[in-house]
Amino acid sequence: NAGVTQTPKFQVLKTGQSMTLQCAQDMNHNSMYWYRQDPGMGLRLIYYSASEGTTDKGEVPNGYNVSRLNKREFSLRLESAAPSQTSVYFCASSEADGRARYEQYFGPGTRLTVT
Amino acid sequence: DQQVKQNSPSLSVQEGRISILNCDYTNSMFDYFLWYKKYPAEGPTFLISISSIKDKNEDGRFTVFLNKSAKHLSLHIVPSQPGDSAVYFCAASATGTASKLTFGTGTRLQVTL
């Protein structure tokens, strides 16, 4: 049982390049989330998927797109990377069904640098 | 607008003593609160949570207190151990929001020998 896995662990991009961050969970969770963590800012929600087939914007969605490929996988895409997207990206999942709240389980993170 | 605030960026406590980490929130719709612990180069891990219908929840050395009228919660660690040295994030959620979490900026706890 690996929990939440993320690939890659590290990535360096040039401004304007695109890439996709991959996330998978093996806990059969319904909901999945993408966050970014910047110094002094805590974790901020980029996008989330409450259930398979649905996605919604979080607090800082600009410059990103997501795909909930199936129940296990939730990817985050940067179409044209900018230096402001230099950050550590975390994927998380939870059992949340909208009526009760459960803790979110986080992956190890992807450290992205855009030059 | 920071809806969840952790006003102390860092805290240093001696081993064996109590660590108290504080968190304030402004959104009165928040009704579920969580604490996460984060080591460098790892993802946050869930520590303890509390629903707004309670004012205290205890799990081993960790206790979370909630004061709804003051919109304040605190995490107590007793006794503190060197392995507790990490960044602690407070997070909050509201009913009907698909369990979205709003995080504070974190408090770095250093437990010294």
Side-chain angles (χ1 to χ4, degrees):
Chain A
N1 191 337
V4 179
T5 57
Q6 292 182 236
T7 55
K9 284 188 167 46
F10 301 94
Q11 184 71 50
V12 179
L13 291 178
K14 294 189 189 309
T15 297
Q17 287 184 318
S18 63
M19 80 160 295
T20 299
L21 282 66
Q22 307 286 354
C23 174
Q25 52 92 8
D26 60 4
M27 296 173 283
N28 202 36
H29 285 169
N30 288 315
S31 299
M32 297 185 74
Y33 312 83
W34 275 105
Y35 294 88
R36 59 179 289 173
Q37 184 192 9
D38 302 294
M41 299 290 288
L43 285 85
R44 292 182 293 168
L45 182 65
I46 305 171
Y47 269 93
Y48 68 101
S49 170
S51 60
E52 186 179 356
T54 69
T55 60
D56 283 289
K57 295 178 180 178
E59 184 185 351
V60 288
N62 291 345
Y64 305 95
N65 285 301
V66 290
S67 295
R68 184 73 184 267
L69 304 170
N70 46 56
K71 192 170 185 179
R72 288 187 64 248
E73 298 172 289
F74 188 38
S75 62
L76 178 72
R77 182 160 178 84
L78 287 71
E79 291 291 352
S80 179
S84 61
Q85 294 178 304
T86 293
S87 188
V88 181
Y89 291 85
F90 291 101
C91 177
S93 70
S94 81
E95 294 179 12
D97 64 0
R99 291 193 302 277
R101 255 67 48 68
Y102 302 90
E103 59 265 23
Q104 293 182 16
Y105 295 82
F106 284 79
T110 294
R111 186 174 295 274
L112 175 67
T113 301
V114 183
T115 61
Chain B
D1 178 33
Q2 193 77 21
Q3 296 185 68
V4 178
K5 301 177 184 179
Q6 294 177 256
N7 292 319
S8 298
S10 63
L11 175 67
S12 183
V13 171
Q14 276 190 321
E15 182 182 10
R17 306 293 285 266
I18 183 171
S19 294
I20 300 176
L21 292 87
N22 293 303
C23 177
D24 297 293
Y25 62 96
T26 58
N27 188 339
S28 58
M29 299 302 292
F30 288 147
D31 57 359
Y32 196 74
F33 305 89
L34 307 91
W35 285 93
Y36 280 83
K37 177 178 180 179
K38 186 182 180 305
Y39 292 118
E42 294 183 11
T45 54
F46 170 74
L47 195 55
I48 192 169
S49 63
I50 187 167
S51 164
S52 60
I53 62 173
K54 296 185 177 181
D55 54 18
K56 177 183 174 181
N57 188 27
E58 195 170 351
D59 183 2
R61 296 186 298 114
F62 303 91
T63 302
V64 57
F65 295 92
L66 176 62
N67 182 333
K68 288 189 293 293
S69 61
K71 293 190 175 68
H72 176 83
L73 62 156
S74 60
L75 173 69
H76 292 209
I77 306 173
V78 184
S80 300
Q81 300 174 352
D84 297 329
S85 297
V87 177
Y88 289 79
F89 290 99
C90 169
S93 181
T95 300
T97 61
S99 296
K100 290 188 296 181
L101 295 179
T102 300
F103 282 84
T105 52
T107 296
R108 182 177 303 277
L109 173 65
Q110 180 74 38
V111 179
T112 58
L113 297 173

